[in-house]
Amino acid sequence: MKRATKDKEESVLAVLRQKYAGRRPPACEPKRAGNIAITLATLAKPFDGDLGALLDAALSFDGDALSGEALDQLGPLLPTDDEAALARKLYGAAATPPAKPAEAFFAAVVAAADDASRNLGGVAGLRQLVACAADARHAPDAAAGVDAGSGALVAAADGAVGSEALAEALQRLLAVGNALNEGTSKGDARGFTLASLERLATTKSSVEGGVSVLDFAARSALQQGGGDEALSALGAPLAAARRVHPGDLRRAAARLARTAGALRGAGTRGGPVSYTHLTL
């Protein structure tokens, strides 16, 4: 430990001992201690208040021992490196554990992190393993969501590519666009961008109730490409695809990849890790 860091810790300890003369000082500030106590009252209840058993369940990768939602709540309660170092100095050699929930929890975390048989790599490693366990519990639902979302996009793409009505509409839109731009540099286009479809939707005729170019092309295409039935068949997968956000899918897939890597790392430290449908 660097000399400056050690001196800082000793200074903090001296202030705490002076302020709490005759009493055991806390390892974190009162507001955080209160929040920890409130959350622990719920999380530790299934374990009859046994904080060691709570931590064992959090680190077990047993999907039935502690839910992903519970682990999401537990993660922020874990001590920081500074809080853990202070708790180790304050409570590490204590004959009896601290009575207050936050202090007792910090002492239990430090004891688990310092247990050589667990091979956790300290409090930082314990925090990482709890986060990994939370991700593992959420993984089956996340994987199902990625599968459903990507499936909706593939179905919409396949439907669009195979739709005669859509192909006819695009051909008619290209013909109409070239007619409108006849005599200009854009009058002999071989294609168009999707963004230009928005402009065609706002370009309306002065007859027939102000029908837009896009509506006209779509109506004509339906007559040639299968009518309303063809449009309905394409509409359902397209509507499902619109509810999918590709960015969310990418982030979810990346998180699953990180979780798989972390689980493999956990397996190398403590043997094979099995979780629900995951065996690494």
Short mmCIF file of all heavy atoms in Angstrom, two decimals, residues 27 52 256 269:
data_model
loop_
_atom_site.label_atom_id
_atom_site.label_comp_id
_atom_site.label_asym_id
_atom_site.label_seq_id
_atom_site.Cartn_x
_atom_site.Cartn_y
_atom_site.Cartn_z
N ALA A 27 -18.61 2.55 9.05
CA ALA A 27 -17.73 2.44 7.89
C ALA A 27 -18.25 3.24 6.70
O ALA A 27 -17.59 3.31 5.67
CB ALA A 27 -17.56 0.98 7.49
N GLY A 52 -24.19 -13.80 5.92
CA GLY A 52 -23.28 -14.75 5.28
C GLY A 52 -24.01 -15.65 4.30
O GLY A 52 -23.53 -15.92 3.20
N LEU A 256 -24.89 -10.18 -23.33
CA LEU A 256 -24.89 -11.64 -23.23
C LEU A 256 -23.50 -12.20 -23.50
O LEU A 256 -23.06 -13.15 -22.84
CB LEU A 256 -25.89 -12.23 -24.22
CG LEU A 256 -27.37 -12.10 -23.83
CD1 LEU A 256 -28.25 -12.48 -25.02
CD2 LEU A 256 -27.69 -12.96 -22.63
N ARG A 269 -12.08 -20.13 -12.03
CA ARG A 269 -11.68 -19.88 -10.64
C ARG A 269 -12.25 -20.92 -9.69
O ARG A 269 -11.60 -21.33 -8.74
CB ARG A 269 -12.14 -18.48 -10.18
CG ARG A 269 -11.43 -17.34 -10.88
CD ARG A 269 -11.50 -16.10 -10.03
NE ARG A 269 -12.87 -15.69 -9.76
CZ ARG A 269 -13.57 -14.86 -10.51
NH1 ARG A 269 -13.04 -14.37 -11.60
NH2 ARG A 269 -14.80 -14.52 -10.18
#
